[in-house]
Amino acid sequence: ELKDICICARSLGYTGIELTPGTLIGHILRMPNEDLQYIRSIIEDNGLQCTGLHWLLAHRTDLHLTTTDAAVRQQGWDYLRSLADVCAKLGGTYLTLGSPKQRSGPGINPKEAASILRDGLAELASYAEERGVVYWMEPINDPGCDVVDNMKEAVEIVRGVNHPGVA
């Protein structure tokens, strides 16, 4: 129960909580605004704030950001765009883009996949800024991730976008 988690977190001295879209409900984008406001009120009524969202695509195995399938790729980016709205409604300020399985490039080399990632984030940057949120590029040093697996590559993506909506 979210309320119990918030009570526990606050008792331990935390002031914020980061949410994972897939743990809130099966399909967060189908949640009515009233439900999002209810979640936000549970968090805030217990002395916390929603800091942001992470594991953005972990529960969405049907989506991918760098695949050669343009339709699937577009669905992935559309989903991330919609999550900016959800994050803002929950009071969050950032969306951590980890999700290594949805950004590693099957059938595409890592440099090409990183370029697609950069371009996709560039397209979302202004949208995020208008909503008061930022997409954070998380480097993931894991054998299952071959795209942006170190800080240098993450910095290259962020600098390549060069927009306050991406960090």
Side-chain angles (χ1 to χ4, degrees), residues 32-42 44 89-90:
N33 285 335
E34 298 80 27
D35 289 355
L36 293 172
Q37 186 56 47
Y38 178 67
I39 291 169
R40 182 175 179 166
S41 69
I42 290 172
E44 292 176 353
K89 289 174 185 175
L90 291 171

Side-chain angles (χ1 to χ4, degrees), residues 3 6 74 86 97-99 103 108-109 115 147-148 157-158 161:
K3 182 178 178 181
C6 290
Q74 187 60 53
V86 170
L97 181 53
S99 303
R103 72 182 196 205
I108 189 169
N109 73 57
S115 178
V147 180
V148 190
I157 297 257
V158 171
V161 173

Side-chain angles (χ1 to χ4, degrees), residues 1-2 13 16 27 32-33 36 42 44-45 48 55 71 74 79 89 94 98 103 107 110 120 128-129 133 146 149 164:
E1 172 95 21
L2 181 59
H27 200 305
N33 285 335
L36 293 172
I42 290 172
E44 292 176 353
D45 290 350
L48 300 173
W55 267 17
Q74 187 60 53
Y79 181 75
K89 289 174 185 175
Y94 64 85
R103 72 182 196 205
E129 184 181 34
V133 300
D146 63 353
D149 62 359

Side-chain angles (χ1 to χ4, degrees), residues 66 107-117:
T66 63
I108 189 169
N109 73 57
K111 288 215 180 279
E112 198 174 341
S115 178
I116 292 170
L117 241 145

Side-chain angles (χ1 to χ4, degrees), residues 137 139 148 150-162 167:
M137 186 69 248
V148 190
N150 62 68
M151 186 60 79
K152 180 182 179 215
E153 291 176 0
V155 169
E156 287 173 2
I157 297 257
V158 171
R159 286 185 177 156
V161 173
N162 191 29

Side-chain angles (χ1 to χ4, degrees), residues 28-105:
I28 194 167
L29 299 184
R30 293 188 184 132
M31 288 183 85
N33 285 335
E34 298 80 27
D35 289 355
L36 293 172
Q37 186 56 47
Y38 178 67
I39 291 169
R40 182 175 179 166
S41 69
I42 290 172
I43 293 167
E44 292 176 353
D45 290 350
N46 286 284
L48 300 173
Q49 71 171 20
C50 173
T51 56
L53 303 178
H54 73 150
W55 267 17
L56 305 178
L57 297 169
H59 63 291
R60 293 297 307 268
T61 57
D62 59 320
L63 300 178
H64 201 285
L65 300 176
T66 63
T67 179
T68 55
D69 184 328
V72 170
R73 189 172 62 233
Q74 187 60 53
Q75 289 172 356
W77 289 107
D78 290 346
Y79 181 75
L80 284 187
R81 178 183 305 271
S82 297
L83 284 181
D85 294 317
V86 170
C87 185
K89 289 174 185 175
L90 291 171
T93 59
Y94 64 85
L95 299 98
T96 302
L97 181 53
S99 303
K101 291 180 182 173
Q102 286 85 3
R103 72 182 196 205
S104 292

